[in-house]
Amino acid sequence: MKKQPLLLPVILSVCMAAGGAMAKTELHLQRFFGACDAQYGTNTDVDKAEGECGIMTSLINQFSAEHPDIKVKVTTVEWPGYDQLTAQMASRTPPDLVTMHNSVISDYQSRRLILPIDDLMKQAGVALDDFTDTAARGIVKEGQVYGLPIDTWTMLFHINLKLMKQAGLVSEDGQLMLPHTPEELLQQARQFKKATGKPYLVQILSNETSAYTRLFYTYMFEQDSDFFANPDKVSLQSDKARNIVNMLKQIYDEDLTTKNMDYPASVSGFTNGDGGILMNGNWLLGAFEVESHNPDSEIYNAYMAVPYPQLFQNDKLYVDGHSWVMPNKKRDKAKLAATAEFFKFMKENDYQWSRTGHLPSVKSVLTMPEFLKLPHRQSLLSVTTRGTGLPEGVKRQFAVQDILGEELAAAVTGVKPIDEALKEAERRINDMLANL
């Protein structure tokens, strides 16, 4: 009987602990960017992380550490993960938040499979005006915001300066000479090959359909081609399209590019000095910067990166981006509050993600001294204002990219005449879009 009063605090303590655990809100995040738990699975110091996977993993770890009331469950999917997401949606078990390309958002938004996040952004104290023009354009659909922008990405010229100097394409004052017209590009490529015995360009031409398409988009934009004036119907049979394919075919026919390289082969080929310029995305900036400090590397102290050079009348660039989107499912207030906290955290830590090589989505990062000190970033700042994607109403952009890339490759390699390839690309894309 004397011990009875002592039991009450113990019971209350147990009940409080159990109540605390029950109150913990779970947030299920699903993302791509790779898996690296062995190296970064417990790291919460984002400054010590490198690369897409390391920085994203560490950011989420830091968010968890700063929000002990939120249990974060992370599922990492093989890039890009949309088949898995679609299956989860069909079985009514989607995650709470998922990474998505801006070019894909319309596919899910148009079928109401993801939700607008305007109210949650307001709850998080995040405004659309906080983001760069390119980032904002990528996530607004029919006047509502459907994603929390993570970044903007584009394709770059990754340049071997040692070979460019050998080719006489670096001036006496150290300025790289870039082409300003298709004719200048061909002239420089021939000059490069004659001087070095190597191809000017290192391209991904095997098991890859997107590289040609992204280049094609940029140079169609530069010629003010409104090839998707109707988002449901592409128009590709034009002199502007032929200008680009003729240029690519001439580069291929004159052996001014590497051939038969897939993605990894082209990346290693560039670092091995197989050619002067690799055409690939800004996500490789960090890796090549590290390689450029390796005395044994062919790009030792000889690496720089710039956006695709302007060859036609305007300076538009094709860009895409990554965002966090919210699948359509029921949520309670606690989960919505946790999501708003996550949005706030990701916006406030946008600089850390910019270290991957992706361009910031948040305007204020563009003027941060830490960001401006990162290698090559100042030469890429304009991408955040002049970058543009396909019109927001264009659906199945990944499929469009694949079809167009296949037909462009057929034209460039001579499998099909250029006009036939453009006509077939137009027919296949429009047939697909007409049957959605």
Side-chain angles (χ1 to χ4, degrees):
M1 292 297 291
K2 291 181 180 177
K3 293 182 179 178
Q4 248 182 349
L6 297 176
L7 288 174
L8 185 57
V10 175
I11 293 169
L12 285 174
S13 174
V14 170
C15 289
M16 290 174 68
M22 289 174 64
K24 203 166 188 176
T25 302
E26 182 174 285
L27 202 56
H28 181 188
L29 310 180
Q30 186 158 295
R31 67 166 182 83
F32 40 71
F33 301 122
C36 50
D37 284 353
Q39 187 173 3
Y40 293 108
T42 59
N43 179 50
T44 57
D45 186 348
V46 187
D47 288 334
K48 294 180 179 177
E50 296 292 340
E52 288 181 327
C53 184
I55 292 175
M56 181 56 74
T57 301
S58 301
L59 279 170
I60 294 173
N61 289 345
Q62 183 183 338
F63 174 79
S64 295
E66 293 178 1
H67 297 80
D69 55 327
I70 302 173
K71 180 182 179 182
V72 179
K73 176 185 174 185
V74 180
T75 299
T76 304
V77 295
E78 186 176 352
W79 189 94
Y82 300 130
D83 289 343
Q84 182 171 331
L85 177 62
T86 301
Q88 291 168 315
M89 288 177 165
S91 63
R92 301 179 187 274
T93 58
D96 298 306
L97 287 169
V98 63
T99 48
M100 183 171 284
H101 292 82
N102 294 348
S103 58
V104 176
I105 289 178
S106 287
D107 290 337
Y108 290 85
Q109 171 265 338
S110 62
R111 292 181 289 167
R112 300 185 180 183
L113 295 173
I114 56 175
L115 296 170
I117 62 169
D118 306 69
D119 291 343
L120 278 182
M121 284 177 58
K122 187 176 181 181
Q123 185 175 339
V126 177
L128 182 61
D129 193 47
D130 292 335
F131 299 102
T132 66
D133 294 345
T134 54
R137 279 196 293 268
I139 44 85
V140 175
K141 310 293 176 188
E142 298 178 350
Q144 291 185 291
V145 178
Y146 279 88
L148 194 288
I150 301 173
D151 57 43
T152 292
W153 60 258
T154 191
M155 302 295 283
L156 302 178
F157 266 24
H158 298 276
I159 297 166
N160 182 327
L161 286 172
K162 184 170 68 175
L163 290 175
M164 295 294 275
K165 286 179 182 175
Q166 187 180 335
L169 294 173
V170 178
S171 66
E172 291 184 359
D173 61 359
Q175 295 299 309
L176 177 69
M177 299 178 191
L178 289 171
H180 298 90
T181 65
E183 293 75 22
E184 281 189 11
L185 186 146
L186 287 167
Q187 184 276 324
Q188 290 194 6
R190 291 166 185 148
Q191 179 178 328
F192 183 95
K193 184 181 178 184
K194 184 176 181 180
T196 67
K198 298 182 177 183
Y200 180 66
L201 297 178
V202 180
Q203 290 183 286
I204 317 162
L205 301 184
S206 293
N207 301 320
E208 165 71 49
T209 55
S210 62
Y212 270 145
T213 307
R214 293 166 181 166
L215 183 149
F216 180 85
Y217 287 160
T218 285
Y219 290 125
M220 288 291 270
F221 290 153
E222 283 196 3
Q223 296 177 88
D224 282 329
S225 172
D226 200 2
F227 56 103
F228 258 121
N230 176 352
D232 298 323
K233 194 173 183 180
V234 73
S235 177
L236 296 172
Q237 299 182 75
S238 67
D239 287 342
K240 293 174 180 176
R242 292 185 193 96
N243 289 340
I244 302 165
V245 187
N246 274 318
M247 177 182 72
L248 296 174
K249 181 167 175 51
Q250 201 156 355
I251 290 169
Y252 187 89
D253 290 347
E254 294 186 31
D255 294 326
L256 303 175
T257 178
T258 58
K259 297 177 178 176
N260 301 318
M261 282 188 173
D262 61 11
Y263 188 101
S266 69
V267 173
S268 62
F270 174 70
T271 55
N272 290 331
D274 289 348
I277 298 168
L278 171 68
M279 303 167 80
N280 208 320
N282 50 230
W283 50 85
L284 290 170
L285 271 177
F288 287 152
E289 182 61 23
V290 170
E291 183 72 14
S292 72
H293 295 290
N294 175 6
D296 297 326
S297 173
E298 291 293 328
I299 58 171
Y300 177 58
N301 285 340
Y303 169 68
M304 73 176 296
V306 297
Y308 283 174
Q310 180 182 341
L311 301 182
F312 297 95
Q313 58 261 40
N314 67 56
D315 65 353
K316 292 180 183 175
L317 279 170
Y318 173 71
V319 297
D320 198 347
H322 304 112
S323 293
W324 288 103
V325 303
M326 197 164 73
N328 190 350
K329 69 176 188 179
K330 289 184 178 179
R331 295 167 171 83
D332 59 25
K333 287 185 178 179
K335 183 157 287 190
L336 290 171
T339 303
E341 282 297 315
F342 185 76
F343 285 164
K344 179 183 178 183
F345 175 87
M346 293 303 294
K347 183 254 179 179
E348 291 177 346
N349 287 277
D350 188 61
Y351 159 72
Q352 291 289 3
W353 185 247
S354 75
R355 295 196 296 112
T356 61
H358 291 296
L359 290 159
S361 62
V362 177
K363 283 180 187 174
S364 59
V365 177
L366 296 174
T367 56
M368 287 176 63
E370 302 96 308
F371 172 74
L372 294 173
K373 287 179 182 175
L374 292 173
H376 318 295
R377 296 322 195 268
Q378 296 203 37
S379 65
L380 305 179
L381 286 177
S382 66
V383 175
T384 61
T385 54
R386 63 192 175 108
T388 186
L390 297 185
E392 70 172 65
V394 179
K395 301 182 182 66
R396 303 295 191 276
Q397 291 190 30
F398 270 35
V400 170
Q401 175 179 275
D402 288 343
I403 294 171
L404 184 52
E406 288 173 6
E407 296 297 339
L408 289 174
V412 170
T413 58
V415 174
K416 292 181 180 178
I418 292 174
D419 282 346
E420 181 183 326
L422 290 172
K423 182 178 180 181
E424 184 64 3
E426 184 179 286
R427 184 197 65 77
R428 291 175 61 192
I429 292 168
N430 289 339
D431 184 60
M432 177 193 67
L433 294 176
N435 286 285
L436 294 180

